[in-house]
Amino acid sequence: MQGLLAVWNDCDAHRLADFERWYMGEHLSDRVRLDGFEQGVRYEAVDEAQIPRFFTAYDMSSPEVIQSPIYQQSLREPSEATRDIMAHFRNMWRSVSKLEAMSGHSSGAWILVLRLGLLAGFGGRAQDDPPIADAQSWSALLDLERPQRAIRWRVYANSLKALANSPEARFRPQADCAPEAIVIIEHLRRADLVHSQEHWLGRPAVKSLLKSHQGQAAAFLEMTRMDHRSFKS
């Protein structure tokens, strides 16, 4: 869990059925079976109007896993189905991050995700632009003002060295964006998630930091998870 590959995306409505067949029949297992990947968890937005609609979190032993030859080969040589469906991706954000801080041990299906800042070199930002967001500030804030009904929170800092332009990106119609930091707050029940949205997000310190870091808060519900150990004989 020291590394995280996080992906946000939408898909053209007329290809959603194909997207689901591809993701569940090929893509998720192709990623999770690779050494260094620990699990992959797929989420869907709680609010149907939310953009992007889908969020996937791949836990890895470290961010350097994506530099492995076998992972890089999977990016350079995607399947025909991957090339086809990625041509219908929209609103793609991608991050390779390192765990900065964590509190709690149990996972929760109802999550609040904060996507923070925009990495220099993406979305029209110049390579030498100063940072907008930093993970350390969120770790410090959460130590002081933890969401009362969350069962776990995690803070991730983008791993710039690991975030090279993906060879798969050439098949997507829009340029990827990348956040500078990510916060994932997990809850056992929907009511707990709503409490965090209505109360924790409304705290002055949280509102101020979220605004200054140009953050976006979004709620998701777990759809499925796949464990790397399931591929071991």
Side-chain angles (χ1 to χ4, degrees):
M1 192 175 284
Q2 291 300 309
L4 178 74
L5 171 60
V7 179
W8 296 255
N9 74 282
D10 289 314
C11 181
D12 288 336
H14 71 285
R15 295 300 303 272
L16 274 175
D18 297 324
F19 170 75
E20 287 299 334
R21 281 191 291 269
W22 166 79
Y23 223 125
M24 297 307 301
E26 173 183 320
H27 190 66
L28 188 61
S29 59
D30 281 354
R31 290 294 184 260
V32 176
R33 72 171 65 245
L34 298 177
D35 289 339
F37 280 75
E38 297 170 347
Q39 67 173 355
V41 190
R42 290 191 63 204
Y43 300 88
E44 187 171 18
V46 174
D47 180 354
E48 293 183 357
Q50 181 177 292
I51 296 174
R53 175 179 174 180
F54 300 106
F55 174 65
T56 306
Y58 297 96
D59 291 322
M60 304 181 295
S61 56
S62 76
E64 287 71 31
V65 167
I66 72 156
Q67 302 291 357
S68 67
I70 190 168
Y71 180 78
Q72 289 298 314
Q73 181 180 1
S74 72
L75 296 181
R76 292 192 303 269
E77 303 173 6
S79 69
E80 182 177 346
T82 296
R83 295 193 298 270
D84 173 52
I85 204 66
M86 283 194 173
H88 297 275
F89 272 31
R90 297 289 184 269
N91 306 312
M92 176 83 169
W93 286 70
R94 178 176 176 266
S95 175
V96 178
S97 303
K98 182 176 182 179
L99 184 66
E100 173 74 21
M102 180 176 73
S103 178
H105 301 284
S106 297
S107 63
W110 299 87
I111 67 170
L112 183 64
V113 180
L114 309 186
R115 195 180 66 222
L116 304 161
L118 177 61
L119 195 64
F122 289 81
R125 298 195 71 212
Q127 290 285 357
D128 56 353
D129 280 352
I132 298 171
D134 67 273
Q136 294 87 351
S137 295
W138 286 95
S139 299
L141 176 63
L142 282 158
D143 279 336
L144 294 173
E145 299 201 41
R146 175 195 176 108
Q148 294 179 348
R149 290 168 63 171
I151 58 174
R152 182 168 69 175
W153 58 259
R154 291 174 282 158
V155 179
Y156 291 90
N158 184 73
S159 179
L160 178 59
K161 182 179 179 181
L163 188 63
N165 288 328
S166 169
E168 283 183 339
R170 67 188 187 275
F171 300 112
R172 297 191 279 269
Q174 301 169 328
D176 295 353
C177 288
E180 294 171 304
I182 303 168
V183 176
I184 301 176
I185 303 172
E186 299 172 73
H187 307 81
L188 188 62
R189 295 180 174 86
R190 180 170 189 168
D192 301 324
L193 166 65
V194 171
H195 187 274
S196 290
Q197 290 176 296
E198 294 180 349
H199 298 279
W200 183 76
L201 283 177
R203 294 180 186 177
V206 177
K207 288 177 65 176
S208 176
L209 192 58
L210 190 63
K211 182 178 180 180
S212 66
H213 284 189
Q214 299 179 21
Q216 298 290 327
F220 295 90
L221 174 61
E222 181 179 327
M223 300 166 66
T224 187
R225 70 175 56 215
M226 187 176 289
D227 196 297
H228 177 78
R229 293 170 297 181
S230 66
F231 297 99
K232 298 296 184 180
S233 57

